[in-house]
Amino acid sequence: VQSGRRREAFHAHHRTVHELTWTANGERLVSVSADGTAKVWQPNRADDDSFEYDEPNATLPHPSYVYCVRAQPKPGTGKKGGGTGTNLPGGGGAAPTGPTAGSGGPSLLITGANDNALRLWDISNDGANLLATKNVHKARINAVAWPSESAIFSADGAGVVKHWEVEGRLGGGSGADLKLISSIEKKELRDVPINSVTLHPNRRRLLLQTRNHQLLALDTRLQH
């Protein structure tokens, strides 16, 4: 970023790359594409201080276009004063149990696809393990936000936002699942595709950007 010099370019997918995200420790990159896959990359530093991407660590197959991906944040992200709960609607979620992938940090991923499904993955090892598939949305999932260890928001092509809670082993591994906390449906958003969603740092405003060129701030408690 400082020099503006391109460090690396590599052919990762056969069709459009829709989104990228780094894992919490910054060591792995995840890409999702219209070719129906999400791929986990582990860049290797070469002798000339550049990065090399050979083959993906894992390829996560989907039955349709994959539009969005987020990695679980570090433990403690979004928490109040170092406590065990979060300052998010729907409660703080289950306390973390089990491994957190050692020094590698959290190992959970969430993907959203054209088949209206939200999928939770564990990438703690070289491969990937599908932990949960949720077919609750009625339209394709365009955007997801993972602002704290246990809270997830997903937004779709029909203008609906859903708030989820990660249950079980938050650090990864078998047993993790997704619990639907609430479905946010506003008349101002009806049938308006939501392109992106993010939680404001004060955790009281959900910021939405829609296909009809609007930016909206939604109160997470009152849902207005």
Side-chain angles (χ1 to χ4, degrees):
V1 175
Q2 292 178 342
S3 67
R5 181 173 63 92
R6 188 180 73 182
R7 300 293 298 270
E8 184 62 43
F10 64 102
H11 184 79
H13 292 274
H14 298 293
R15 301 190 69 177
T16 304
V17 177
H18 285 296
E19 192 162 62
L20 303 169
T21 193
W22 290 97
T23 55
N25 59 12
E27 294 181 357
R28 289 183 288 180
L29 177 69
V30 186
S31 58
V32 298
S33 168
D35 65 8
T37 66
K39 294 184 179 182
V40 183
W41 305 90
Q42 182 88 39
N44 299 310
R45 191 179 293 274
D47 293 336
D48 60 355
D49 203 36
S50 64
F51 290 93
E52 297 178 346
Y53 296 80
D54 298 322
E55 295 293 331
N57 277 81
T59 298
L60 289 53
H62 294 69
S64 62
Y65 298 170
V66 191
Y67 290 119
C68 50
V69 60
R70 283 291 180 270
Q72 185 181 31
K74 294 179 180 178
T77 303
K79 293 182 179 178
K80 293 178 62 179
T84 57
T86 64
N87 190 26
L88 291 170
T97 59
T100 57
S103 61
S107 61
L108 297 179
L109 283 181
I110 194 84
T111 58
N114 192 57
D115 64 349
N116 309 347
L118 199 64
R119 292 175 172 86
L120 182 68
W121 306 81
D122 175 23
I123 57 167
S124 57
N125 299 313
D126 289 337
N129 181 28
L130 179 61
L131 301 177
T133 300
K134 301 299 179 180
N135 296 94
V136 176
H137 282 274
K138 303 301 182 183
R140 77 181 198 183
I141 302 173
N142 290 332
V144 290
W146 201 331
S148 71
E149 190 177 17
S150 63
I152 292 174
F153 293 91
S154 55
D156 66 26
V160 177
V161 178
K162 295 188 184 293
H163 174 209
W164 304 83
E165 188 176 274
V166 182
E167 295 185 310
R169 303 179 70 177
L170 300 185
S174 61
D177 199 358
L178 293 174
K179 176 184 178 181
L180 181 63
I181 300 300
S182 63
S183 181
I184 305 171
E185 302 182 38
K186 309 299 293 184
K187 63 180 181 180
E188 297 88 349
L189 292 169
R190 186 174 300 152
D191 297 325
V192 178
I194 300 172
N195 287 338
S196 71
V197 56
T198 187
L199 192 70
H200 190 278
N202 68 12
R203 301 185 291 279
R204 297 192 63 181
R205 293 289 185 273
L206 197 64
L207 308 178
L208 310 174
Q209 182 259 321
T210 67
R211 190 71 55 84
N212 63 352
H213 321 302
Q214 290 190 68
L215 295 172
L216 298 95
L218 185 71
D219 187 292
T220 54
R221 290 164 178 77
L222 303 177
Q223 296 188 1
H224 293 312

